[in-house]
Amino acid sequence: MSECTHNCSTCSSGCGSSEFHRDESLMEKLMPGASVKKVIAVVSGKGGVGKSMVTSLLAAETQRRGFRTAILDADLTGPSIPKAFGVSERMRAAADHMLPVTTPSGIQMVSMNLLLDAPEEPVLWRGPVIAGAVKQFWQDVVWGDLDYLIIDCPPGTGDVPLTVFQSIPIDGAVIVTSPQDLVSLIVRKAYNMAKMMDIPVLGLIENMSYAVCPDCGKKLRLFGKGSGAAAEELGLPLLAELPIDPDLAQLVDNGEFEKFTCTALEAAAKEIDKKFS
């Protein structure tokens, strides 16, 4: 079979690959007056690697560096970001628009938990309905003039990540991983999905890379070797290795995430900004 040209209109192979490519003409539009310069999707091949934490860290760091930043929490059935920031104010919604909630440092945020009567209320929706709600979070929210919108995608390569990639003009994706070989294998799925959708992958961020001994300061790699080999194999930079930090866990429980500073993420945020400058 000849090499794919990605021009399905002239192809007779019947592979149906056009379903999984982006069509710029089908991208959802923002509300009039809204402006978002760069959109970053934070993705992972599986759950439990700390994707929401990385989203929050990147948002807090870019806001701290003077950029106008917002978070779109696309994990509709398992939203955790409002709790981490101590945000409980409900989003205000009208017939044709929604207003984001603002965190203490000025980060704009939309999340399903900010629309529910109670945060523990489950969202019992099927895939197409969830995907439609994610589109609304992009097109029906009165976003201000933003430098960065960071999207926390649910894990995997299903309906919602696919909707995000096909409906929102993503400028780049960050893949979150953890040190285990199994997770490194799953990373390739997220990478290949982004590649199929023609979305640049900005790099990998490894979470739970190590813990620091409180007595001697030695780095303890509890889960074994890191993701450097996987990043090198894929030709991607390893943007950061994040430690297991009990202080961060306490701040999240207290809803005081913005008080946390992470030197590892400072370098990653600078590297991401350089890619867009």
Side-chain angles (χ1 to χ4, degrees):
M1 186 170 62
S2 61
E3 184 178 353
C4 180
T5 64
H6 303 304
N7 184 0
C8 299
S9 63
T10 62
C11 179
S12 60
S13 67
C15 66
S17 62
S18 61
E19 180 183 354
F20 302 111
H21 284 279
R22 294 205 296 173
D23 184 340
E24 297 295 331
S25 67
L26 298 179
M27 292 286 171
E28 302 293 343
K29 307 299 182 185
L30 287 169
M31 293 200 71
S35 173
V36 178
K37 293 182 176 65
K38 297 297 177 184
V39 182
I40 298 174
V42 178
V43 301
S44 65
K46 67 182 297 297
V49 296
K51 180 177 41 53
S52 294
M53 190 190 80
V54 169
T55 298
S56 301
L57 283 170
L58 283 175
E61 180 58 32
T62 53
Q63 182 78 9
R64 192 176 292 124
R65 295 180 64 227
F67 294 103
R68 297 178 298 273
T69 306
I71 297 174
L72 192 161
D73 187 356
D75 193 354
L76 269 65
T77 59
S80 57
I81 289 179
K83 165 67 176 175
F85 284 87
V87 173
S88 57
E89 176 189 353
R90 292 191 63 184
M91 291 171 55
R92 289 179 289 167
D96 60 350
H97 69 272
M98 293 178 280
L99 297 177
V101 172
T102 303
T103 72
S105 73
I107 298 170
Q108 294 184 46
M109 178 187 299
V110 296
S111 174
M112 179 54 68
N113 255 20
L114 302 177
L115 290 171
L116 301 176
D117 292 329
E120 66 274 10
E121 184 180 331
V123 177
L124 304 178
W125 294 351
R126 297 191 185 276
V129 179
I130 293 175
V134 170
K135 289 183 184 180
Q136 286 186 286
F137 276 2
W138 166 258
Q139 65 184 6
D140 293 344
V141 170
V142 184
W143 298 110
D145 183 13
L146 297 176
D147 295 306
Y148 284 104
L149 176 71
I150 304 176
I151 303 178
D152 181 24
C153 292
T157 56
D159 278 347
V160 176
L162 186 60
T163 297
V164 169
F165 281 9
Q166 288 187 315
S167 303
I168 298 175
I170 307 296
D171 295 290
V174 171
I175 300 177
V176 182
T177 182
S178 59
Q180 303 95 327
D181 282 342
L182 175 60
V183 176
S184 295
L185 172 66
I186 302 300
V187 160
R188 290 167 175 78
K189 292 182 181 290
Y191 171 79
N192 288 330
M193 179 181 184
K195 188 176 179 181
M196 289 174 64
M197 306 293 293
D198 300 318
I199 292 175
V201 178
L202 304 175
L204 303 185
I205 292 179
E206 183 183 88
N207 191 29
M208 299 178 282
S209 296
Y210 58 90
V212 177
C213 175
D215 296 323
C216 67
K218 181 180 179 181
K219 290 183 178 181
L220 306 175
R221 294 194 175 270
L222 304 177
F223 299 114
K225 62 182 181 180
S227 303
E232 184 176 353
E233 181 182 332
L234 296 172
L236 298 172
L238 184 59
L239 296 171
E241 292 181 311
L242 305 181
I244 299 171
D245 192 327
D247 291 338
L248 175 58
Q250 188 61 56
L251 288 173
V252 168
D253 288 344
N254 295 340
E256 299 175 332
F257 192 92
E258 287 160 303
K259 292 182 179 180
F260 184 75
T261 57
C262 179
T263 55
L265 248 294
E266 289 176 7
K270 290 178 182 177
E271 188 64 28
I272 289 171
D273 188 47
K274 280 198 297 185
K275 292 177 183 293
F276 292 133
S277 59

